[in-house]
Amino acid sequence: MLDSKLLRTQLQDVADRLATRGYQLDVARIEALEAQRKTVQTRTEQLQAERNARSKSIGQAKQRGEDIAPLLADVDRMASELDAGKQELEGIQAELDQLMLTLPNLPHESVPVGKDEDENVEVRRWGTPKSFDFPVQDHVALGEQHGWLDFETAAKLSGARFALMRGPIARLHRALAQFMIDLHTREHGYEEAYTPYLVQAPALQGTGQLPKFEEDLFKITREGEADFYLIPTAEVSLTNIVAGEILDAKQLPLKFVAHTPCFRSEAGASGRDTRGMIRQHQFDKVEMVQIVEPGQSFEALESLTANAEKVLQLLELPYRVLALCTGDMGFGATKTYDLEVWVPSQDKYREISSCSNCGDFQARRMQARYRNPETGKPELVHTLNGSGLAVGRTLVAVLENYQQADGSVRVPEVLKPYMAAIEVIG
């Protein structure tokens, strides 16, 4: 959530910066609500002062033996008007608060300005895509030849956009997740967490998925109890660990990592990537989250992105890093790097990780703070998140980049300890 003071003092600047994201802020509506709020608040404050004075005069009139009935009636009238004014103020503030929840984060000044993904800026590349001397197969063909990757049975069980993995491919999928978790905990300093897969609405509001993106979530309605939502990413549960907390500065930075399934309805992705495992309703992801002091968040973004890159480097998978432009960033991000891995069958790079600095945007929604040791006052923390990595998409990249002419797949060297020294599957 943006700082409401910005809308009161720098409204046009906020509108201009949001416009670079393709978001048109209703300046006139905000100005009208703010003017209405000020008018009602001034009237309410005047009424309160007048009522206080009138209440005081009642005691004085009583001492003089005067009839106080008219004064009492006047005070009662003012009390009714005050209640009405307070209710009106609450209604205006509720509308402003609801509007604030729909506003995306402001892009950092270092973010390239652009309309869509075509205007993202390539920062660097690592590795060289392999040249194959045989016809390249995609991951679906490679996985289905032995029945180890089965979309037909998954569809029988659950419908489209699900996969059933068996045998060596299921093991390879598990090995990838274990390798990622071990790397981030042993070498990158993250604390492993096991989190709930079901959360309530406040957690999703805290990280920005609600109210704007409810159609992308799987919801479980419970009669007489709060609704549950299946997590779209462990970012939700990990980041909300600090919701409502005032942390000691000595606790920061906090670095969490978790391997969880993720559930997304893909409501806005109709017709996209319908073949294979690129875009599914259920997929696994290893998620990294950092909670840091405000002055450290952009340095932390570089570190977090490097942590994600290390996974690809150890797997020896060619990739590139993109700085997302203003028009392609996620709702809560102030700056984002995407990692795209080389997918041979598509002859292009595809997203495998998104690493974002959210600044104080999520922290304000969650009221996650730390006590500044210099001032002794609570201040909002900054939050960051990134995939380290999406396990299913990493499996796709391994299957395709390590395929051999006979359709078998070599196991990357770094994964062999997790595969009982199996060198080839298929």
Side-chain angles (χ1 to χ4, degrees), residues 34-52:
E34 190 59 30
Q36 186 181 359
R37 184 189 67 79
K38 287 179 180 178
T39 299
V40 176
Q41 186 169 332
T42 300
R43 187 173 74 240
T44 302
E45 288 172 353
Q46 289 172 343
L47 263 174
Q48 184 66 59
E50 192 177 342
R51 185 189 180 214
N52 291 343

Side-chain angles (χ1 to χ4, degrees), residues 8-81:
R8 290 197 293 269
T9 62
Q10 302 175 44
L11 182 56
Q12 192 54 54
D13 179 59
V14 170
D16 292 343
R17 293 173 69 184
L18 290 179
T20 68
R21 299 192 59 143
Y23 185 93
Q24 298 305 311
L25 184 63
D26 191 343
V27 173
R29 181 58 184 152
I30 293 175
E31 287 178 335
L33 283 169
E34 190 59 30
Q36 186 181 359
R37 184 189 67 79
K38 287 179 180 178
T39 299
V40 176
Q41 186 169 332
T42 300
R43 187 173 74 240
T44 302
E45 288 172 353
Q46 289 172 343
L47 263 174
Q48 184 66 59
E50 192 177 342
R51 185 189 180 214
N52 291 343
R54 197 62 53 89
S55 296
K56 188 176 180 180
S57 68
I58 289 174
Q60 296 169 344
K62 209 171 186 180
Q63 287 178 348
R64 293 193 298 267
E66 298 174 0
D67 182 10
I68 62 172
L71 293 174
L72 288 171
D74 216 17
V75 168
D76 288 342
R77 174 187 60 78
M78 290 180 187
S80 297
E81 290 182 15

Side-chain angles (χ1 to χ4, degrees), residues 133-328:
D133 57 5
F134 55 85
V136 171
Q137 298 188 72
D138 69 6
H139 67 282
V140 178
L142 291 165
E144 285 184 336
Q145 60 183 336
H146 297 292
W148 293 333
L149 189 54
D150 186 348
F151 295 98
E152 186 176 335
T153 301
K156 178 179 70 174
L157 297 171
S158 305
R161 295 191 187 273
F162 289 92
L164 171 66
M165 288 176 275
R166 298 169 58 179
I169 284 183
R171 184 169 192 164
L172 184 60
H173 184 266
R174 174 165 55 91
L176 282 164
Q178 289 181 301
F179 156 65
M180 294 173 194
I181 285 287
D182 286 348
L183 175 66
H184 296 316
T185 55
R186 294 173 183 175
E187 297 188 23
H188 297 155
Y190 290 82
E191 178 186 348
E192 183 174 357
Y194 175 84
T195 76
Y197 302 160
L198 293 167
V199 295
Q200 296 180 4
L204 289 153
Q205 180 174 296
T207 45
Q209 284 80 13
L210 287 179
K212 189 173 178 60
F213 301 105
E214 181 153 11
E215 66 173 6
D216 292 323
L217 302 169
F218 285 107
K219 181 178 181 179
I220 300 171
T221 301
R222 301 188 298 163
E223 188 174 349
E225 296 187 71
D227 295 336
F228 276 144
Y229 293 83
L230 289 162
I231 58 170
T233 164
E235 170 200 341
V236 176
S237 40
L238 290 175
T239 309
N240 274 280
I241 289 173
V242 298
E245 301 290 331
I246 300 177
L247 304 168
D248 191 303
K250 294 177 182 178
Q251 295 176 262
L252 302 178
L254 290 172
K255 298 170 70 174
F256 300 122
V257 65
H259 165 219
T260 69
C262 305
F263 305 90
R264 299 184 186 177
S265 72
E266 297 292 355
S270 179
R272 295 175 60 193
D273 295 310
T274 54
R275 178 176 170 83
M277 297 180 64
I278 295 293
R279 195 177 299 275
Q280 297 201 295
H281 290 315
Q282 174 186 315
F283 59 95
D284 279 37
K285 185 152 65 79
V286 171
E287 183 75 2
M288 303 175 292
V289 161
Q290 294 195 25
I291 314 294
V292 304
E293 292 184 40
Q296 304 298 316
S297 64
F298 285 97
E299 181 182 340
L301 176 61
E302 302 299 324
S303 171
L304 181 136
T305 304
N307 297 156
E309 288 183 70
K310 190 65 175 179
V311 178
L312 293 170
Q313 292 169 6
L314 291 174
L315 289 170
E316 300 182 70
L317 294 171
Y319 68 89
R320 66 175 182 170
V321 180
L322 301 177
L324 297 195
C325 71
T326 52
D328 196 36

Side-chain angles (χ1 to χ4, degrees), residues 1 105 357-365 380-383:
M1 183 184 294
N105 204 352
N357 180 5
C358 296
D360 62 11
F361 185 83
Q362 293 178 327
R364 184 171 286 104
R365 298 167 80 104
L380 295 169
V381 296
H382 280 197
T383 63

